Amino acid sequence: MSDKSPTRELTFAEAIREGTALCLARDPRAFVIGLGVPDPKGIFGTTAELAAEFGADRALDVPLSENALTGLVIGAALGGMRPILTHQRVDFALLSLEQIVNQAAKWYYMFDGRGGTIPIVIRMIIGRGWGQGPQHAQSLSSWFAHIPGLKVVAPASPADAKGLLVASVEDDNPVIFLEHRWLHNMRGPVPEGYHRTPLGECLVARSGSDVTVVASSHMVIEALRAADFASAHAGVEMEVVDVRCLNPLDFETIANSVKKTRGLVVADDDTRQCGFAAEIVARVGEAGLKLNAPPVRVTYPDCASPSSSALAAVYYPAAPDLFLAAARIVGRGASLVDKFPKRPCPVDVPYLEFPGPF
Amino acid sequence: MMANSPVPLSQPPRAETSSQICDRLWRLYLEMLRIRVIERRIAERYGEKEMRCPVHLSIGQEAVAVGVCAHLRKQDKVMSAHRSHGHYLAKGGNIRAMLAELYGREAGCCGGRGGSMHLIDREAGFWGAVPIVGSTMPIALGLALADKRRGGDELTTAFFGEGATEEGVFTETLNLACVLRVPMLFICENNGFSVYTPLSLRRAPDFEFGSYVRSHGSLYFSGHGNDVEEVFALTGQALSAMRQDPGRPCVVEFSTWRYYEHCGPGQDDHLGYREAEQIKHWAERCPLAVARTRLLALSPALDPEMTAAEKRYIREIDAVIENVRSSPMPDAATLQRGVFAP
Ligand SMILES: Cc1ncc(C[n+]2csc(CCOP(=O)(O)OP(=O)(O)O)c2C)c(N)n1
């Protein structure tokens, strides 16, 4: 790991691009493959110019064949390569669930180690906004985290996007790398050079003594906004634990936080029933950790993600919801939710200038 | 089943002497016989309920496995599907590890985690079989791609049944192989049935598999899969066509027939899902009987050697089975070993 001071800022997308380029430069076995990888948009900039820099056979465009492509990268990994497969939406990767779940996830286990390892990274983008609707804006992170043998990574910051991507490429297991579309254009400090963030370690993104918010991916951003407000206006100190890696899960960091705060909100960019938030609540319960108030899950409601901005506005939980949950647990400040600053832009875009459509 | 064969003789390459031909056929025959004996024993002992996993026997389809694998070197790679015993054995897979797997033993090729439908022996070049129909085709393509990138000269072959060609993944894989110019060999064993469902319910009457394959840019050959010499010759033709046209994948389709039920140790023709005429047609074309008749015409003195070889194979498999049955089951403490690679 590099210890260089993280002064320089990049967007999340640039950070992924930088991490990918480092992997390609460092390891001749690595390559990126997926629909649109070398096209002019370069997967929202995350693969921009990789083909020019590393050659067309290190950054491949492909036919629309998600399932066979997944098999192909599994086989290539067995043959000694280290592929990164990209999907512009999680929703498209559903056509490859057979290969992901039956083959990649199980290969090492089912052949008792003799089948070889499957060092692949499958990048999937979680869509949101601009009316993308039921089949371009779901997360399904809980599904993947449910499958033994898959590592599931969901970075929330540019630094982690780079560090976790590098660590995912280095890992000998299949890694599902979930990128929330609303994170791609966020800026933040990113360490230079070959920087890796180990898989399976939560990050305490903000410390606080009153209530723990466990969040991943874009929900971390919402949680941090909520925590800023809570601290400034309600005197409530929310501790934000960024899960970073849903499987394997660093429960210890979560448990330590909950022991300290005795309050738990779980924020998950996914529907509720049988979801990751339920898993965290269950583990806290099983561990016998004492809570001062019942835990709260803040998730998408149990329906598909609707297109209309009027419906999207009530579908996606946001910072005020997290603040409200935390304030109720702590027992003070809940009425201040009305003072929560209005979003500076419509609810269906990440920021005012966002041009759409994807 | 052991009837005289009307299967047409394939044309041997001109340069070969008849004794070379006889030698080769004898080796092919012995390998088919070995596989037949092993699978027959599996069927016979299945009722003891010690092999507690589904088995898909390839009895009747040995010629394809043997005729194709006879061209392959140890380092060449093979993948297969649910009906893979023949492919595994013909590729040189370890017999004890296979039987131990069927018996759920620790010494099994998957340590007892897979059963009959998950065979693997990478040292022998058998890179894995899984029972999701069609699933190993793209994985084999990935292996072939990695070899190509490395500049290796290994050939990768995927064996599958014609049912697998109905899965989208077949078309995706074939197209990818053509687009990426990866020379891999697809061996399709067309036994006419997907479990009980005949081809007539799965393809429109004018569906043409060969044109479909060729239209993607792949090479295509087809022939009799119950004549091991024809399988051998046609595979040889396919391989030389691939050498002449580097970067092109090749699909070879062999017609064949399974003599046993889809899954399990018995025969099920009494169920009536296969027509009596077809059953008779294929009974007269048992791949072992075809080869045997031809061998005896070339060299009648082989008759007692055939009997002796069969006895030897029976002794060998019985010894393996006894050895495996007395070997330990997996330790329950290892249940979660290897969920993640270290
Ligand atoms: C994806 C999938 N669908 C269905 C099945 C159930 N199944 C197992 S074998 C089989 C028949 C396959 O026929 P074919 O590929 O021609 O092989 P054969 O059994 O004839 O050797 C079916 C439908 C399966 N294993 N995988």
Side-chain angles (χ1 to χ4, degrees):
Chain A
M1 228 193 306
S2 122
D3 286 327
K4 282 178 197 141
S5 62
T7 47
R8 174 195 58 142
E9 295 213 335
L10 293 180
T11 66
F12 188 96
E14 288 164 349
I16 287 178
R17 200 263 174 214
E18 186 170 281
T20 307
L22 280 165
C23 291
L24 293 183
R26 186 176 146 120
D27 191 343
R29 302 169 303 172
F31 68 99
V32 189
I33 184 167
L35 185 69
V37 162
D39 80 11
K41 294 274 174 76
I43 319 283
F44 308 111
T46 60
T47 59
E49 303 297 324
L50 289 176
E53 192 175 336
F54 295 98
D57 59 0
R58 309 282 309 279
L60 283 84
D61 213 334
V62 290
L64 291 165
S65 302
E66 290 80 3
N67 199 32
L69 276 169
T70 307
L72 178 104
V73 296
I74 292 170
L78 288 172
M81 305 189 78
R82 300 191 89 84
I84 304 171
L85 173 64
T86 61
H87 295 285
Q88 293 171 352
R89 282 290 179 273
V90 173
D91 318 63
F92 310 157
L94 297 191
L95 280 91
S96 62
L97 279 185
E98 194 286 300
Q99 288 288 333
I100 294 174
V101 175
N102 280 324
Q103 313 308 340
K106 296 184 177 137
W107 203 267
Y108 187 75
Y109 179 88
M110 76 186 173
F111 291 118
D112 201 17
R114 276 160 274 190
T117 55
I118 312 281
I120 59 176
V121 180
I122 308 181
R123 290 179 46 204
M124 300 179 193
I125 293 169
I126 303 167
R128 173 166 170 181
W130 206 264
Q132 290 180 51
Q135 299 180 355
H136 278 61
Q138 60 194 321
S139 154
L140 301 177
S141 49
S142 302
W143 274 22
F144 296 109
H146 181 68
I147 307 298
L150 293 181
K151 294 196 174 177
V152 182
V153 173
S157 70
D160 280 348
K162 175 177 171 180
L164 290 170
L165 183 84
V166 167
S168 298
V169 174
E170 281 184 3
D171 201 281
D172 272 339
N173 293 281
V175 179
I176 304 295
F177 192 89
L178 294 166
E179 297 160 33
H180 197 289
R181 176 70 187 106
W182 280 18
L183 295 172
H184 277 140
N185 295 335
M186 293 198 51
R187 298 191 81 79
V190 177
E192 298 196 46
Y194 196 77
H195 156 73
R196 62 188 292 285
T197 307
L199 306 187
E201 291 183 12
C202 293
L203 172 76
V204 178
R206 178 190 174 110
S207 53
S209 51
D210 295 331
V211 55
T212 298
V213 184
V214 176
S216 61
S217 190
H218 182 255
M219 272 297 175
V220 174
I221 308 304
E222 300 293 338
L224 290 171
R225 278 189 197 133
D228 281 346
F229 179 84
S231 175
H233 300 277
V236 171
E237 298 304 326
M238 295 166 64
E239 176 147 302
V240 179
V241 179
D242 176 357
V243 172
R244 300 204 286 195
C245 187
L246 283 69
N247 192 18
L249 177 67
D250 165 19
F251 183 65
E252 200 183 331
T253 298
I254 295 170
N256 287 339
S257 175
V258 172
K259 277 180 205 156
K260 180 175 73 175
T261 64
R262 293 178 151 247
L264 176 64
V265 176
V266 191
D268 189 17
D269 258 318
D270 203 348
T271 48
R272 194 177 190 81
Q273 161 92 356
C274 297
F276 184 73
E279 172 69 21
I280 299 295
V281 171
R283 288 221 200 178
V284 165
E286 283 175 340
L289 303 183
K290 296 282 177 295
L291 297 174
N292 292 335
V296 176
R297 288 179 285 164
V298 178
T299 66
Y300 300 173
D302 284 319
C303 61
S305 48
S307 176
S308 162
S309 58
L311 296 173
V314 290
Y315 184 79
Y316 292 102
D321 304 294
L322 294 173
F323 166 72
L324 190 61
R328 283 186 178 147
I329 282 174
V330 175
R332 60 176 188 275
S335 63
L336 293 167
V337 71
D338 297 334
K339 303 235 159 45
F340 210 100
K342 287 263 166 306
R343 277 174 63 84
C345 59
V347 292
D348 62 347
V349 288
Y351 49 90
L352 199 55
E353 306 78 32
F354 186 77
F358 290 108
Chain B
M1 191 186 307
M2 299 279 175
N4 285 344
S5 162
V7 171
L9 261 172
S10 57
Q11 287 299 112
R14 231 174 278 130
E16 283 183 309
T17 66
S18 69
S19 98
Q20 283 171 321
I21 295 168
C22 185
D23 274 0
R24 187 177 61 227
L25 182 54
W26 176 234
R27 275 183 280 114
L28 295 172
Y29 173 77
L30 285 179
E31 187 61 359
M32 291 197 295
L33 180 64
R34 186 175 77 96
I35 295 170
R36 174 70 59 95
V37 165
I38 291 168
E39 286 205 301
R40 232 169 31 202
R41 245 331 177 239
I42 292 171
E44 285 159 6
R45 304 200 60 161
Y46 198 74
E48 295 169 3
K49 299 189 175 173
E50 289 188 30
M51 282 177 266
R52 306 181 76 85
C53 64
V55 288
H56 300 79
L57 302 176
S58 52
I59 291 177
Q61 304 186 197
E62 297 91 343
V64 179
V66 169
V68 170
C69 288
H71 284 280
L72 305 180
R73 303 160 303 171
K74 194 171 177 185
Q75 66 268 33
D76 291 327
K77 299 179 171 118
V78 163
M79 298 193 85
S80 177
H82 55 289
R83 199 176 307 286
S84 73
H85 297 172
H87 310 136
Y88 174 95
L89 292 169
K91 189 61 176 65
N94 183 291
I95 174 67
R96 180 170 183 265
M98 170 177 149
L99 264 295
E101 192 58 36
L102 269 63
Y103 276 93
R105 294 308 203 268
E106 183 184 17
C109 58
C110 310
R113 289 161 176 216
S116 153
M117 301 191 290
H118 290 265
L119 299 184
I120 192 163
D121 185 346
R122 279 173 51 162
E123 266 168 44
F126 192 83
W127 280 64
V130 302
I132 302 296
V133 169
S135 215
T136 48
M137 295 189 282
I139 301 177
L141 177 65
L143 280 175
L145 175 74
D147 286 338
K148 180 184 160 170
R149 288 284 181 93
R150 234 183 331 100
D153 73 337
E154 297 94 333
L155 174 74
T156 301
T157 301
F159 284 94
F160 52 91
E162 88 292 342
T165 67
E166 293 150 24
E167 298 286 1
V169 76
F170 168 70
T171 301
E172 291 187 9
T173 304
L174 181 67
N175 186 53
L176 269 171
C178 293
V179 168
L180 298 173
R181 300 192 54 73
V182 179
M184 84 168 248
L185 186 58
F186 295 81
I187 300 292
C188 176
E189 288 175 56
N190 185 346
N191 64 14
F193 284 80
S194 164
V195 194
Y196 300 118
T197 314
L199 212 43
S200 61
L201 295 181
R202 300 184 283 133
R203 289 179 181 172
D206 40 9
F207 180 86
E208 261 199 278
F209 185 60
S211 341
Y212 182 76
V213 166
R214 282 199 200 91
S215 71
H216 285 83
S218 170
L219 300 164
Y220 173 78
F221 296 87
S222 68
H224 292 280
N226 279 23
D227 176 349
V228 74
E229 288 194 296
E230 177 160 341
V231 173
F232 183 83
L234 197 65
T235 307
Q237 271 179 43
L239 295 178
S240 71
M242 289 171 79
R243 277 189 290 270
Q244 278 160 27
D245 197 350
R248 238 182 244 285
C250 183
V251 177
V252 188
E253 181 186 16
F254 291 108
S255 56
T256 184
W257 193 254
R258 65 170 156 74
Y259 288 140
Y260 279 54
E261 59 192 327
H262 166 70
C263 178
Q267 283 159 309
D268 66 353
D269 281 329
H270 62 278
L271 295 179
Y273 67 99
R274 303 197 284 195
E275 286 166 20
E277 225 169 279
Q278 288 179 306
I279 294 171
K280 180 166 174 293
H281 172 92
W282 287 102
E284 289 163 358
R285 288 163 177 78
C286 166
L288 274 96
V290 170
R292 181 186 155 87
T293 306
R294 212 172 289 153
L295 271 172
L296 290 180
L298 288 167
S299 173
L302 283 174
D303 198 5
E305 289 195 44
M306 290 174 176
T307 313
E310 183 163 355
K311 286 196 175 130
R312 191 171 70 244
Y313 292 140
I314 292 173
R315 272 199 311 277
E316 282 171 10
I317 182 64
D318 284 346
V320 168
I321 289 177
E322 286 328 306
N323 172 291
V324 160
R325 289 176 72 223
S326 63
S327 75
M329 286 296 211
D331 181 349
T334 64
L335 178 67
Q336 288 191 305
R337 180 181 66 206
V339 171
F340 289 119

